[in-house]
């Protein structure tokens, strides 16, 4: 098979806790798409890596970008653009590669639809959805952290069993 018949699958999650579920889901969905299309596949995985890190700080993404630059990768699958990067410059780079290197990008959460940067408004909408999703995730994380801080300050025990000499009463520590 030629290199054009290989689907390059990029999987990434932000935290160590997400590795088991998120990475496995992405791999499974990407591989299923490759098999459906009759293609081989190659995996690039960045576990517990923020999308805001530079490609040089993410081995999987750096290797993928190198293969795109060297015309080894012609077909790319990502679950969604936020898995690839949180930086607009990386999204623009991907658009340029689609146009200059005939890179085909398939987005899993959009039904494995091929991304078409020449479709003007669709390209802009894809970018906006990616950035809005990024901001929503940031806001959710901030709210989650603040909720945990508030509960801790209200005296709630946040992790596991009560320490020796204490018991949990309504999720608060009480001397045993």
């Amino acid at each position: 098979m030629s290199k054009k018949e290989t689907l390059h699958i990029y999987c990434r999650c932000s935290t160590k806790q997400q590795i088991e579920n998120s990475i496995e889901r992405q791999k499974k969905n990407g591989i299923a798409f490759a098999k459906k299309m009759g293609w081989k596949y190659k995996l690039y995985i960045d576990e517990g890596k923020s999308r805001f890190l530079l490609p040089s700080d993410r081995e999987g993404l750096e290797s993928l970008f190198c293969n795109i630059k060297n015309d080894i990768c012609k077909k790319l699958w990502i679950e969604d653009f936020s898995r690839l990067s949180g930086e607009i410059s990386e999204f623009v780079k991907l658009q340029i590669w689609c146009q200059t290197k005939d890179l085909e990008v398939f987005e899993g959460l959009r039904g494995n639809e091929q991304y078409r940067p020449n479709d003007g408004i669709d390209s802009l909408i894809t970018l906006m959805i990616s950035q809005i999703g990024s901001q929503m995730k940031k806001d959710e994380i901030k709210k989650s952290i603040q909720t945990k801080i508030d509960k801790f300050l209200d005296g709630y025990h946040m992790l596991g069993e009560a320490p020796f000499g204490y018991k949990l009463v309504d999720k608060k520590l009480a001397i045993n």
Side-chain angles (χ1 to χ4, degrees):
M1 285 189 170
S2 73
K3 59 187 169 192
K4 289 186 180 183
E5 295 171 325
T6 299
L7 182 66
H8 296 255
I9 300 168
Y10 181 71
C11 305
R12 184 197 61 77
C13 67
S14 299
T15 66
K16 300 288 184 199
Q17 294 83 358
Q18 295 173 318
I19 291 171
E20 187 175 329
N21 293 326
S22 181
I23 294 292
E24 291 306 314
R25 179 192 68 246
Q26 292 174 61
K27 283 179 11 184
K28 180 181 132 206
N29 292 340
I31 291 169
F33 178 61
K35 288 180 177 179
K36 176 183 173 190
M37 301 303 289
W39 299 328
K40 297 187 302 182
Y41 61 88
K42 178 172 175 49
L43 296 170
Y44 303 84
I45 299 172
D46 284 319
E47 298 176 334
K49 302 281 183 167
S50 169
R51 67 183 164 172
F52 295 104
L53 291 175
L54 295 172
S56 59
D57 295 325
R58 294 189 275 157
E59 291 177 21
L61 187 61
E62 184 175 39
S63 178
L64 172 64
F65 280 4
C66 180
N67 284 341
I68 292 171
K69 289 175 192 172
N70 291 318
D71 293 320
I72 294 169
C73 172
K74 290 294 187 181
K75 296 181 186 308
L76 169 63
W77 183 93
I78 50 178
E79 184 175 64
D80 66 270
F81 282 99
S82 71
R83 296 285 172 199
L84 194 65
S85 180
E87 299 296 327
I88 292 176
S89 61
E90 300 299 328
F91 185 79
V92 170
K93 189 183 300 184
L94 195 66
Q95 285 183 300
I96 292 168
W97 287 336
C98 287
Q99 295 170 346
T100 61
K101 295 190 164 288
D102 298 322
L103 176 67
E104 296 176 33
V105 180
F106 301 91
E107 192 178 6
L109 291 182
R110 292 179 54 173
N112 297 319
E113 183 178 316
Q114 185 177 348
Y115 171 66
R116 299 189 187 283
N118 292 328
D119 289 351
I121 193 72
D122 286 346
S123 173
L124 182 61
I125 290 171
T126 299
L127 174 60
M128 288 174 51
I129 289 171
S130 176
Q131 294 305 310
I132 290 169
S134 297
Q135 189 58 47
M136 289 172 59
K137 287 178 185 177
K138 284 182 193 174
D139 293 343
E140 287 175 22
I141 291 169
K142 284 180 185 176
K143 286 179 190 174
S144 175
I145 291 169
Q146 188 58 52
T147 299
K148 289 176 181 170
I149 290 170
D150 292 344
K151 286 192 173 272
F152 176 78
L153 293 174
D154 287 340
Y156 286 92
H157 180 68
M158 301 303 293
L159 294 172
E161 298 294 320
F164 181 76
Y166 291 86
K167 63 182 178 180
L168 290 177
V169 176
D170 296 326
K171 297 186 181 181
K172 293 184 178 183
L173 291 177
I175 296 174
N176 189 357

